[in-house]
Amino acid sequence: MTQPARDLNPARSARELYGVELHRQRELAGLSLDRLSDIVNYSKTHVHGVETGERLPLPPISE
């Protein structure tokens, strides 16, 4: 099982909570970063950035 690049603390910010939850849901669904990025039509780098709390989630990721 892969882990986000840095230790996230969901209590620290909503962005980090979102990233932890996105990562958890992606893994539960059995999706790779590549596959999720294809589904939401955003780069793998962007999706990874959301999971690590470094980027803001865009609407297709939330849907």
Side-chain angles (χ1 to χ4, degrees):
M1 174 165 47
T2 20
Q3 295 296 317
R6 63 186 185 98
D7 291 330
L8 296 178
N9 180 354
R12 188 174 18 223
S13 71
R15 188 182 291 189
E16 289 191 26
L17 173 62
Y18 188 97
V20 167
E21 186 61 18
L22 176 62
H23 180 79
R24 187 180 77 79
Q25 291 292 328
R26 179 177 61 76
E27 286 197 334
L28 283 173
L31 296 173
S32 66
L33 274 173
D34 285 326
R35 181 66 184 123
L36 181 58
S37 70
D38 288 342
I39 291 169
V40 299
N41 200 30
Y42 282 98
S43 72
K44 179 180 170 182
T45 303
H46 187 89
V47 175
H48 180 263
V50 173
E51 283 191 0
T52 58
E54 297 167 3
R55 291 187 172 213
L56 292 173
L58 300 170
I61 294 174
S62 296
E63 293 170 3

